[in-house]
Amino acid sequence: QKEVEQNSGPLSVPEGAIASLNCTYSDRGSQSFFWYRQYSGKSPELIMFIYSNGDKEDGRFTAQLNKASQYVSLLIRDSQPSDSATYLCAVYYYNQGGKLIFGQGTELSVKP
Amino acid sequence: SQTIHQWPATLVQPVGSPLSLECTVEGTSNPNLYWYRQAAGRGLQLLFYSVGIGQISSEVPQNLSASRPQDRQFILSSKKLLLSDSGFYLCAWSVSGMTPTIYFGEGSWLTVV
C-alpha cells in the first residue's frame, strides 16, 4: 500500500461547480495533512493544512479530515478556470523521523 | 519574511557530467531543509532532508548526495549524472520544531542528455 494515495485524474468540472479531491494515507499515527496546488512547470504552493477531524474552511477551499477512515479531502467551491492545476496531498509521518510524504497528485481541469 | 532561493533554474547536462544545485533560505535560522525530485508527470519524491548543519538523511540510495555547509544553505550534487536523473528538483524548508508546513523554492529543471 502506498503511503499517500490520490486519484491521478484528470478530474474535469464545469466552471462554478464544486471540485472534490480525495486522498488516503496508510499511517494511522499521522497528525498533520496538507494540500498543495501546482501549476504546470511551477513549484507547489500551500493551499491549507488540517490537523483535527472535521472540516476546515478557507475562502473557496474546504479541507475535510477523517482519521478513523484515514481519509482527507479538498473541496473547491465555485471552481474557476484558474483553479486548473495539479493538487497534491501531503501527510506528515512522525514515525519516520518527521517527513512530509506526497501523493502523486490529482490533475484538475475546470472548463469555462 | 522568509524567502528561499534556488539555482540554476534550468540546466542541460550530458550523461556522466557532475551536478550542483544550490539553495539558500533567508529570514529564518536553523530551518529544516529538503530536496525533492519530480519526474515528468509524477509526484514528489523526497531525496534528502536536513535538520541541521552537517546532518543529512538520505531517502533514496542513488548517485546523488546532499550537503549543508551552512545553516541556511543546502546543496544537491552528483559526480556522474544518469539519464534517469532528469526531472524537476525542488528545495524546500520548514521551521524547525514547529508545525511541519514546508515551503518550496522555484525549482530547477534538469535535463540529462
Side-chain angles (χ1 to χ4, degrees):
Chain A
Q1 180 185 6
K2 291 183 180 178
E3 293 169 307
V4 182
E5 292 199 63
Q6 297 180 254
N7 291 327
S8 61
L11 173 66
S12 183
V13 301
E15 183 175 357
I18 296 175
S20 178
L21 304 160
N22 305 316
C23 173
T24 58
Y25 59 95
S26 61
D27 180 15
R28 287 191 169 276
S30 295
Q31 297 292 323
S32 307
F33 308 87
F34 302 80
W35 283 100
Y36 287 80
R37 175 174 62 194
Q38 186 177 25
Y39 291 110
S40 181
K42 302 296 184 181
S43 62
E45 53 185 2
L46 179 69
I47 298 174
M48 63 191 304
F49 56 83
I50 185 167
Y51 301 145
S52 303
N53 273 328
D55 296 357
K56 179 182 179 182
E57 187 175 317
D58 184 359
R60 295 188 296 114
F61 299 96
T62 299
Q64 300 175 317
L65 175 61
N66 183 326
K67 292 184 180 180
S69 300
Q70 295 174 246
Y71 175 94
V72 58
S73 65
L74 180 71
L75 302 179
I76 306 175
R77 291 183 299 281
D78 187 24
S79 295
Q80 301 297 309
S82 58
D83 294 325
S84 297
T86 296
Y87 289 79
L88 300 167
C89 170
V91 177
Y92 193 70
Y93 275 68
Y94 287 95
N95 67 349
Q96 293 189 29
K99 297 180 298 185
L100 199 60
I101 306 296
F102 284 82
Q104 296 295 308
T106 298
E107 182 184 351
L108 172 67
S109 177
V110 181
K111 304 295 186 183
Chain B
S1 63
Q2 299 87 1
T3 57
I4 178 170
H5 301 286
Q6 183 181 342
W7 68 94
T10 59
L11 64 166
V12 179
Q13 295 286 100
V15 170
S17 65
L19 170 73
S20 181
L21 301 178
E22 190 166 340
C23 168
T24 59
V25 180
E26 298 176 357
T28 187
S29 60
N30 195 32
N32 294 330
L33 297 172
Y34 311 83
W35 279 109
Y36 284 86
R37 178 172 64 195
Q38 187 174 37
R42 304 287 296 276
L44 291 168
Q45 179 187 32
L46 179 62
L47 301 176
F48 301 94
Y49 70 99
S50 171
V51 298
I53 296 174
Q55 301 178 61
I56 310 292
S57 295
S58 174
E59 292 300 300
V60 183
Q62 52 197 347
N63 68 321
L64 298 173
S65 63
S67 62
R68 185 170 178 172
Q70 300 182 45
D71 180 44
R72 293 171 291 168
Q73 182 185 27
F74 207 23
I75 298 172
L76 182 69
S77 304
S78 174
K79 292 182 179 178
K80 290 185 177 182
L81 284 169
L82 306 172
L83 286 174
S84 58
D85 292 324
S86 295
F88 190 39
Y89 287 80
L90 290 155
C91 182
W93 72 277
S94 66
V95 178
S96 176
M98 300 289 286
T99 56
T101 307
I102 73 169
Y103 301 93
F104 290 91
E106 303 93 342
S108 298
W109 285 98
L110 170 65
T111 303
V112 182
V113 296

